Amino acid sequence: MKNINIPMLLLATLVILMFVLVGISIAYRNIWFVLLFIILGFAFMGYGLSLKRKRK
């Protein structure tokens, strides 16, 4: 079994959490939180992809 990369796992979980929070914000009809969580979700995803690219 391969070793689990804990920092990347936490980063991926954080990205998923941001997009879940987008759905919750849509349910509460709060456009500012929707925009905030979308921006944060894509920012964390971009950061994770840049870390992965540096590693290879």
Side-chain angles (χ1 to χ4, degrees), residues 11-27:
L11 188 61
T13 306
L14 186 63
V15 170
I16 292 169
L17 177 67
M18 289 298 118
F19 289 118
V20 167
L21 289 174
V22 168
I24 293 171
S25 299
I26 290 171

Side-chain angles (χ1 to χ4, degrees), residues 23-54:
I24 293 171
S25 299
I26 290 171
Y28 283 120
R29 296 180 182 169
N30 192 335
I31 189 67
W32 297 113
F33 280 138
V34 171
L35 294 174
L36 173 70
F37 292 136
I38 285 175
I39 291 170
L40 285 175
F42 280 115
F44 288 140
M45 191 184 323
Y47 178 66
L49 290 175
S50 69
L51 285 179
K52 187 175 179 180
R53 191 177 317 144
K54 284 182 185 178

